[in-house]
C-alpha cells in the first residue's frame, strides 16, 4: 500500500497548489508586461561597437586600442575602423558606417554643426597644430632660421596631409586669415608616415600635424636634430578669431628634461578633439564609453592639468545626455556594487517596473478572494447533491421503502466522496459542517 504523506505536509502542498493556481493569471500578466517593457525599452546594449580612429601609429589609433581594451573588460567588442583622420571620421559618422569617431574642432566643413544625428560625448584632449620645419630651409627665409608666422612659409614646400585628416581645412582657414597667397606655397598632401620620411629626406621643407602629443611621429620629430617646431607668436589672436582653437604653451624641458627640450616655452594653437557618436547608438553604450573616457583622459598632460578632460566645454555638436551625466556625475551608484550588465538592466528598467507595479498592485487584491473561493468550492459543490436528496425526500410518493433505500445509498456515496475531500486546516470547519449536514439528512431519512 502506498504510504500517505503526513497531514501537515499534505495541507501545505494543497495550500501551495491552490495559491499557485489562483495567482497564475496574475503572474502571467506580470511576466507579459515585463517582456513587453523589455522589448520596447531594449535596455541591454549590443555586444560590439565600431570606432573610427585614424592612420596607423597616430594618436587616434593609439587611443582606439586603449578604448578597445577598456570596453573589453565589460564584454564589449570595439571594432576599430582605420581612416585618413578627423574629416574622414566625420564622413563615416554622417553615412552611418561607424558608431563612434574621433573628430577635431574645425573639421566640419559645413556652416553649422547642428546637424541631425550627430552628438558629442565630450572633448577629450587638445591637439596642437605641430608645424615642424627644417632649420636649413628656414634659413633661406629668415637669417636666424626661426619661423614664428605662417606668412614666412611662402616659397617653401609644405605638406598639410590628406584631405580626410581635417588638417587641410584647418590650415586653409588659417592661411585665409593671414591673407596668404596660396599659390606661393608648394603644397603636398602625403599621408603621415610617407610625409615624415620625405620631410626627413629633405624633399619637404615643412610638415604640419594636428595631433595629441602621444603621437609617435610628434615625439620623434620633437627630438630630431635640425628640426624645429614653429612658435605661434599670435596664438591668442588665433583663439579670438576661431572659437575652436585654444592657445597652449609647450613648457620648456617637458619633452626631455635632461636635454632641455624644448629650450624655451613655445606658444601653439590647439584644436579640441571630441568623441562623436550617432544618436541611434545605445544609451548604455554611450555611458560606458564616457566612463572609459573619464578614466583615460582625466590625468595631467603636457597641456592640461588633472581632471581637466573630458569636458562638456568647447563643443561644436550637441552634448549627449548620457555622456554629460557620466562626465559630471561619475560612475552610477549601482555599478559600484554590481556588474555593468546587471546594474544597467536595473537602472533602465526601474521606470517600467514602477509602472508595472502600479498596474498590478490593484489587480493583486483579487488573488486572496479567488484563493478562498477555490478552497471553499471543494466543499460547497457537494451541497447541490445533498439538496437534491432532501428535495426527493420532501416530495416522496409511491413506494417509500424503495426510495429510502435509494436515498440511503446516495447518501453513502456522497459521504464517501466527501471523506476524500482535502482542505487546509483553516477551512476544516466548513468540511466538518458538510459532514454534519449529511448526518442530519440521514437521521431524517431513517425517521
Amino acid at each position: 500500500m502506498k504510504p500517505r504523506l503526513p497531514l501537515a505536509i499534505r495541507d501545505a502542498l494543497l495550500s501551495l497548489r491552490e495559491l499557485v493556481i489562483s495567482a497564475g493569471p496574475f503572474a502571467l500578466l506580470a511576466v507579459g508586461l515585463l517582456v513587453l517593457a523589455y522589448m520596447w525599452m531594449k535596455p541591454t546594449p549590443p555586444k560590439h561597437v565600431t570606432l573610427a580612429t585614424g592612420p596607423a601609429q597616430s594618436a587616434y589609433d593609439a587611443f582606439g586600442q586603449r578604448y578597445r581594451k577598456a570596453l573589453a573588460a565589460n564584454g564589449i567588442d570595439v571594432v576599430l575602423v582605420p581612416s585618413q583622420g578627423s574629416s574622414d571620421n566625420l564622413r563615416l559618422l554622417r553615412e552611418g558606417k561607424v558608431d563612434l569617431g574621433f573628430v577635431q574642432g574645425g573639421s566640419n566643413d559645413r556652416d553649422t554643426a547642428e546637424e541631425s544625428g550627430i552628438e558629442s560625448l565630450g572633448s577629450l584632449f587638445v591637439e596642437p597644430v605641430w608645424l615642424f620645419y627644417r632649420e636649413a630651409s628656414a634659413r633661406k627665409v629668415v637669417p636666424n632660421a626661426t619661423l614664428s608666422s605662417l606668412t614666412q612659409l611662402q616659397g617653401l614646400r609644405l605638406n598639410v596631409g590628406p584631405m580626410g585628416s581635417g588638417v587641410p581645412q584647418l590650415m586653409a582657414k588659417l592661411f585665409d586669415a593671414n591673407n596668404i597667397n596660396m599659390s606661393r606655397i608648394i603644397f603636398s598632401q602625403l599621408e603621415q608616415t610617407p610625409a615624415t620620411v620625405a620631410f626627413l629626406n629633405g624633399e619637404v621643407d615643412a610638415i604640419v600635424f594636428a595631433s595629441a602629443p602621444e603621437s609617435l611621429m610628434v615625439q620623434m620629430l620633437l627630438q630630431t636634430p635640425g628640426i624645429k617646431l614653429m612658435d605661434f607668436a599670435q596664438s591668442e589672436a588665433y583663439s579670438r578669431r576661431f572659437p575652436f582653437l585654444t592657445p597652449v604653451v609647450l613648457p620648456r624641458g617637458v619633452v626631455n628634461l635632461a636635454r632641455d627640450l624644448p629650450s624655451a616655452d613655445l606658444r601653439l594653437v590647439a584644436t579640441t578633439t571630441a568623441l562623436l557618436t550617432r544618436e541611434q547608438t545605445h544609451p548604455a553604450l554611450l555611458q560606458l564609453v564616457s566612463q572609459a573616457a573619464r578614466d583615460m583622459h582625466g590625468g595631467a598632460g603636457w597641456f592640461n592639468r588633472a581632471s581637466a578632460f573630458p569636458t562638456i566645454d568647447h563643443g561644436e555638436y550637441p552634448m549627449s545626455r548620457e555622456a554629460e551625466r557620466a562626465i559630471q556625475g561619475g560612475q552610477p551608484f549601482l555599478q559600484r556594487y554590481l556588474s555593468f550588465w546587471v546594474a544597467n538592466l536595473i537602472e533602465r528598467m526601474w521606470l517600467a517596473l514602477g509602472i508595472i507595479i502600479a498596474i498590478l498592485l490593484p489587480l493583486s487584491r483579487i488573488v486572496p478572494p479567488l484563493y478562498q473561493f477555490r478552497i471553499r468550492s471543494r466543499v460547497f459543490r457537494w451541497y447541490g447533491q445533498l439538496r437534491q436528496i432532501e428535495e426527493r425526500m420532501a416530495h416522496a410518493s409511491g413506494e417509500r421503502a424503495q426510495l429510502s433505500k435509494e436515498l440511503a445509498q446516495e447518501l453513502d456515496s456522497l459521504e464517501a466522496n466527501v471523506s476524500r475531500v482535502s482542505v487546509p486546516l483553516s477551512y476544516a470547519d466548513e468540511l466538518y459542517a458538510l459532514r454534519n449536514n449529511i448526518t442530519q439528512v440521514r437521521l431524517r431519512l431513517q425517521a
Side-chain angles (χ1 to χ4, degrees):
M1 182 177 180
K2 186 177 180 179
R4 292 175 61 85
L5 292 173
L7 179 61
I9 297 179
R10 283 188 290 140
D11 180 68
L13 292 176
L14 176 63
S15 299
L16 179 62
R17 186 187 70 177
E18 294 298 330
L19 182 60
V20 169
I21 295 175
S22 301
F26 178 80
L28 289 176
L29 177 61
V31 172
L33 291 176
L34 281 174
V35 171
L36 290 176
Y38 185 89
M39 295 175 62
W40 175 57
M41 300 185 69
K42 297 179 180 179
T44 304
K47 291 295 185 67
H48 72 279
V49 61
T50 52
L51 171 62
T53 55
Q57 299 183 343
S58 65
Y60 288 175
D61 180 54
F63 281 125
Q65 300 289 345
R66 294 173 63 183
Y67 273 95
R68 179 165 64 180
K69 183 178 179 180
L71 268 67
N74 289 290
I76 304 295
D77 179 30
V78 179
V79 179
L80 302 182
V81 180
S83 68
Q84 294 293 337
S86 185
S87 295
D88 205 16
N89 293 347
L90 188 57
R91 177 186 60 81
L92 293 172
L93 283 167
R94 288 170 177 164
E95 296 175 356
K97 295 181 179 179
V98 295
D99 302 307
L100 304 164
F102 298 112
V103 177
Q104 68 185 26
S107 298
N108 192 2
D109 55 358
R110 300 184 180 183
D111 294 334
T112 175
E114 297 289 336
E115 52 188 303
S116 174
I118 303 294
E119 293 181 340
S120 172
L121 300 186
S123 300
L124 305 182
F125 49 86
V126 294
E127 282 192 305
V129 177
W130 307 93
L131 203 161
F132 294 98
Y133 59 92
R134 297 178 58 82
E135 189 174 5
S137 300
R139 189 169 286 110
K140 300 175 184 178
V141 180
V142 291
N144 62 357
T146 300
L147 304 182
S148 59
S149 173
L150 292 179
T151 57
Q152 297 172 327
L153 294 174
Q154 297 180 95
L156 299 181
R157 297 166 295 177
L158 173 66
N159 186 85
V160 294
M163 288 300 298
S165 67
V167 177
Q169 290 92 335
L170 174 61
M171 294 305 297
K173 295 175 183 179
L174 299 185
F175 286 144
D176 183 64
N178 283 275
N179 296 321
I180 295 176
N181 186 355
M182 305 283 284
S183 62
R184 298 192 59 186
I185 300 178
I186 304 173
F187 289 101
S188 61
Q189 292 187 306
L190 299 175
E191 295 185 5
Q192 192 175 81
T193 300
T196 303
V197 173
F199 178 58
L200 295 175
N201 291 335
E203 301 170 11
V204 175
D205 298 315
I207 187 172
V208 60
F209 300 133
S211 176
E214 287 84 357
S215 171
L216 296 178
M217 295 295 183
V218 172
Q219 294 277 349
M220 182 266 294
L221 290 175
L222 283 172
Q223 304 183 61
T224 302
I227 303 299
K228 285 188 174 182
L229 177 64
M230 192 178 97
D231 178 25
F232 280 80
Q234 300 169 312
S235 59
E236 285 288 347
Y238 282 118
S239 67
R240 306 295 173 86
R241 294 285 298 271
F242 301 99
F244 54 85
L245 290 179
T246 303
V248 295
V249 175
L250 184 66
R252 175 179 177 176
V254 72
V255 177
N256 192 313
L257 287 171
R259 296 172 55 190
D260 194 25
L261 294 177
S263 58
D265 289 351
L266 293 177
R267 293 159 293 185
L268 304 174
V269 292
T271 64
T272 304
T273 293
L275 183 58
L276 302 186
T277 184
R278 298 183 300 122
E279 62 182 12
Q280 293 86 354
T281 307
H282 197 282
L285 198 57
L286 299 183
Q287 183 187 87
L288 192 61
V289 172
S290 299
Q291 292 175 23
R294 189 185 64 247
D295 297 336
M296 196 176 305
H297 305 286
W302 283 6
F303 303 102
N304 62 276
R305 299 185 183 276
S307 302
F309 291 98
T311 176
I312 62 175
D313 300 328
H314 313 294
E316 297 180 86
Y317 294 84
M319 191 69 190
S320 165
R321 289 182 296 177
E322 291 290 339
E324 185 173 0
R325 184 175 64 167
I327 292 173
Q328 295 183 334
Q331 188 178 30
F333 175 78
L334 290 178
Q335 290 188 29
R336 301 173 190 173
Y337 306 100
L338 302 173
S339 68
F340 165 74
W341 296 96
V342 176
N344 173 72
L345 181 63
I346 297 175
E347 180 182 355
R348 304 200 177 276
M349 289 290 290
W350 71 267
L351 180 59
L353 289 173
I355 296 175
I356 292 172
I357 291 174
I359 295 174
L360 295 180
L361 195 58
L363 296 178
S364 65
R365 297 177 182 176
I366 68 173
V367 175
L370 182 60
Y371 171 78
Q372 184 181 34
F373 171 77
R374 288 189 56 84
I375 295 297
R376 299 182 69 181
S377 65
R378 300 171 69 89
V379 175
F380 292 163
R381 65 193 183 101
W382 299 107
Y383 276 103
Q385 187 175 346
L386 184 60
R387 174 177 289 183
Q388 291 179 1
I389 294 174
E390 286 187 294
E391 289 178 353
R392 292 172 62 187
M393 288 172 54
H395 300 88
S397 61
E399 186 59 41
R400 300 181 63 87
Q402 181 64 29
L403 180 59
S404 297
K405 183 178 180 181
E406 293 176 1
L407 294 178
Q409 292 176 350
E410 292 182 14
L411 283 173
D412 292 340
S413 176
L414 176 60
E415 192 169 25
N417 291 331
V418 171
S419 66
R420 291 191 292 269
V421 174
S422 297
V423 294
L425 294 177
S426 57
Y427 293 89
D429 57 337
E430 297 181 358
L431 179 61
Y432 284 107
L434 173 59
R435 292 179 176 179
N436 183 58
N437 290 331
I438 294 174
T439 301
Q440 295 297 325
V441 173
R442 186 186 301 278
L443 292 176
R444 289 170 52 194
L445 179 63
Q446 292 175 354

